[in-house]
């Protein structure tokens, strides 16, 4: 049926965009220390153009993190708010545009504040700015986590059958059995996305937070 096709196309587009963004992020991470400036006696040397490009792209690829929140929100509106999948699919380009502008703006702000440099494993916001790493990057990661978890909890409490709401429009169900299977499948995907997203970023967040507090304690004791 058309509703099933719409749901499938929505999922395919969400996952396709996530795959492209993840590939871009992986590419710039994979370059590793290729552009790292030679430290020498200077603890924060001027980064090269290549280093600045890598740092800008690593920061901009925060968009791949934010996209997981978009995936969760679309599942939330599909399951909980019973919004038509075709309508959600048509909104994706606007959601992507907002994220693109937001993440590009953050990346340019970091560039303007001269924050880019040696981040140990690659060029990014330099390790000498640990609180900027948290503020300009990991705060967004945490917000995406919170969004994903909220959507998962809300989706778990959503009814599996039609509520008769005007927005329902047979979007999620053709029968009570179909509704149960469809909702369960979507919730299963949502749990997998959140689990992988949390696992991939929890270590980085813990490491950078620890570095920031160590820097704070070190500065406070001097």
């Amino acid at each position: 049926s058309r509703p099933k096709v719409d749901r499938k196309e929505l999922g395919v587009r969400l996952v396709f965009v996530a795959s492209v963004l993840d590939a871009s992020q992986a590419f710039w991470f994979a370059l590793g220390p290729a552009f790292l400036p030679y430290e020498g006696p200077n603890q924060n040397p001027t980064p090269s153009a290549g280093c600045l490009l890598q740092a800008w792209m690593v920061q901009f690829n925060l968009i791949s993190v934010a996209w997981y929140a978009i995936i969760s929100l679309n599942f939330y509106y599909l399951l909980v708010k019973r919004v038509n999948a075709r309508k959600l699919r048509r909104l994706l380009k606007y959601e992507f545009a907002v994220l693109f502008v937001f993440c590009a703006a953050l990346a340019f702000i970091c560039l303007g504040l001269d924050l880019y440099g040696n981040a140990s494993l690659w060029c990014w916001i330099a390790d000498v700015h640990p609180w900027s790493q948290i503020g300009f990057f990991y705060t967004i990661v945490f917000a995406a986590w919170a969004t994903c978890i909220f959507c998962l909890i809300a989706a778990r409490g959503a009814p599996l059958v039609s509520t008769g709401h005007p927005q329902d429009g047979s979007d999620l169900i053709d029968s009570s059995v179909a509704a149960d299977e469809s909702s369960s499948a979507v919730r299963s995907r949502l749990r997998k996305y959140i689990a992988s997203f949390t696992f991939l970023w929890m270590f980085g967040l813990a490491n950078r937070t620890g570095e920031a507090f160590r820097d704070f304690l070190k500065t406070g004791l001097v």
Side-chain angles (χ1 to χ4, degrees):
S1 65
R2 186 66 218 182
K4 289 183 179 179
V5 173
D6 288 335
R7 291 196 301 273
K8 183 176 180 179
E9 289 181 359
L10 174 65
V12 168
R13 293 190 185 190
L14 286 167
V15 173
F16 174 76
V17 173
S19 300
V20 172
L21 295 177
D22 285 343
S24 173
Q25 185 180 61
F27 172 79
W28 292 101
F29 279 146
L31 291 177
F35 300 110
L36 283 180
Y38 172 70
E39 293 288 344
N42 188 351
Q43 292 185 352
N44 192 28
T46 301
S48 65
C51 182
L52 290 176
L53 175 61
Q54 183 187 31
W56 193 94
M57 288 303 301
V58 168
Q59 177 62 33
F60 170 73
N61 276 303
L62 179 64
I63 190 173
S64 66
V65 175
W67 190 253
Y68 280 93
I70 294 296
I71 291 175
S72 297
L73 285 170
N74 274 273
F75 284 157
Y76 169 78
Y77 280 105
L78 185 67
L79 285 171
V80 180
K81 296 298 183 180
R82 305 288 185 174
V83 177
N84 186 275
R86 187 180 302 180
K87 180 179 179 180
L88 291 173
R89 193 181 73 236
R90 290 172 179 170
L91 291 174
L92 288 181
K93 57 180 176 291
Y94 302 109
E95 296 165 355
F96 181 83
V98 170
L99 288 186
F100 186 96
V101 172
F102 174 73
C103 294
L106 283 183
F108 278 118
I109 289 173
C110 292
L111 179 64
L113 294 175
D114 196 25
L115 297 177
Y116 294 143
N118 189 340
S120 298
L121 297 177
W122 42 67
C123 291
W124 179 47
I125 299 174
D127 286 340
V128 295
H129 306 295
W131 290 105
S132 294
Q133 292 176 344
I134 293 176
F136 286 106
F137 193 93
Y138 285 102
T139 299
I140 309 302
V141 174
F142 185 80
W145 275 353
T147 301
C148 291
I149 293 171
F150 165 79
C151 292
L152 177 60
I153 294 173
R156 290 184 64 180
L160 296 176
V161 295
S162 175
T163 61
H165 192 280
Q167 285 184 307
D168 239 82
S170 73
D171 182 35
L172 289 178
I173 63 169
D174 297 309
S175 66
S176 60
V177 175
D180 184 81
E181 293 177 350
S182 176
S183 297
S184 297
V186 172
R187 290 173 189 177
S188 177
R189 292 192 192 101
L190 183 56
R191 285 194 295 270
K192 291 176 182 178
Y193 287 133
I194 294 175
S196 60
F197 175 56
T198 302
F199 179 78
L200 288 173
W201 287 101
M202 65 183 295
F203 301 106
L205 179 59
N207 176 264
R208 297 300 176 175
T209 302
E211 289 289 339
F213 277 104
R214 279 195 293 270
D215 180 73
F216 173 76
L217 292 174
K218 181 180 178 180
T219 304
L221 294 174
V222 173

